[in-house]
Amino acid sequence: MTGTPHQDHGTREISDSRVLAALTHPLRRRLIDLLKVDGPATVGQLAERTEQAVGNVSHHLKVLAESGLIVEAPELARDRRERWWRLADRQLSWTRADFDGDPVAEAVADAAGSIMLERQVELVREWAARRSGYPADWQDGCAMASQSWLRLTPEEARQFAADLHGVIQRWADRPVPEDGRERETVLAFAHSVPARP
């Protein structure tokens, strides 16, 4: 969900503020993440994973479905009462500039970006709090933080963003090797913004 300068195969570029507004709720953002990481799920499964009431999860899934961000997966249902949901697109992306000029759309884009950043920071803090519960090989060098002050033109900043996005996307798109080794889900995110020290 970055302002990527290009569109990858399987990526939905969001330019409609009504669709982006569906992502401006922390639980809906988390539901999207769960469907991305764990694959299709029922309302009950998602309620259990998020520790939310089934009715609350059902409401938020309806909002996501109305925005076209998720779709039903009826082929997974064992009977007519069981409803499965999956992501409509592999990746979601938006560029903040697409919402410039409309104060309401700008507010929606800012809120969606803020919720995404808050979730990323929350997950980093959760890792720090539970790090000691992981095996030693996960505690040493698997998590990282990097910060550098760069001097860039707007064109160079766009290229830098594209390069970072490309590295993360290459790892996200790789087929997971079937080598019998246990793998954890790992959140990889990067931000580059004009700023002053």
Side-chain angles (χ1 to χ4, degrees):
M1 238 92 35
T2 60
T4 56
H6 63 284
Q7 181 169 344
D8 296 315
H9 177 68
T11 299
R12 177 176 179 182
E13 298 286 342
I14 300 173
S15 58
D16 184 335
S17 63
R18 293 169 297 185
V19 174
L20 191 57
L23 295 174
T24 60
H25 189 282
L27 180 56
R28 290 196 289 267
R29 178 69 249 159
R30 187 163 178 216
L31 292 170
I32 290 284
D33 288 344
L34 283 167
L35 292 171
K36 169 79 174 160
V37 171
D38 297 337
T42 65
V43 174
Q45 291 168 338
L46 292 168
E48 185 177 320
R49 291 175 195 157
T50 58
E51 299 179 346
Q52 296 287 317
V54 169
N56 189 34
V57 171
S58 183
H59 163 74
H60 288 293
L61 289 174
K62 181 179 177 187
V63 173
L64 292 170
E66 287 172 352
S67 299
L69 295 169
I70 64 171
V71 294
E72 282 195 65
E75 68 279 5
L76 299 175
R78 292 174 292 196
D79 59 47
R80 286 205 231 164
R81 293 173 299 170
E82 191 175 64
R83 293 178 77 184
W84 285 74
W85 297 95
R86 66 173 174 81
L87 293 179
D89 302 283
R90 230 179 67 232
Q91 299 285 339
L92 301 174
S93 180
W94 73 83
T95 302
R96 174 59 174 78
D98 288 344
F99 300 94
D100 287 348
D102 177 349
V104 173
E106 290 174 358
V108 168
D110 290 343
S114 178
I115 286 168
M116 182 177 68
L117 180 59
E118 287 169 15
R119 178 71 176 143
Q120 292 165 341
V121 170
E122 174 188 354
L123 290 169
V124 171
R125 286 186 176 136
E126 282 179 14
W127 159 253
R130 61 188 171 85
R131 180 177 182 259
S132 61
Y134 273 77
D137 59 342
W138 273 103
Q139 293 183 38
D140 186 26
C142 292
M144 59 79 68
S146 178
Q147 175 179 309
S148 294
W149 290 100
L150 311 173
R151 290 194 179 271
L152 305 173
T153 66
E155 295 78 18
E156 290 168 337
R158 281 190 281 278
Q159 184 59 54
F160 178 72
D163 290 348
L164 282 177
H165 179 74
V167 168
I168 292 172
Q169 202 59 49
R170 188 179 78 232
W171 279 89
D173 291 344
R174 79 176 179 128
V176 177
E178 294 185 24
D179 56 10
R181 297 174 67 192
E182 189 173 333
R183 287 178 167 79
E184 284 280 339
T185 55
V186 173
L187 172 67
F189 67 96
H191 289 272
S192 61
V193 294
R196 297 287 308 155

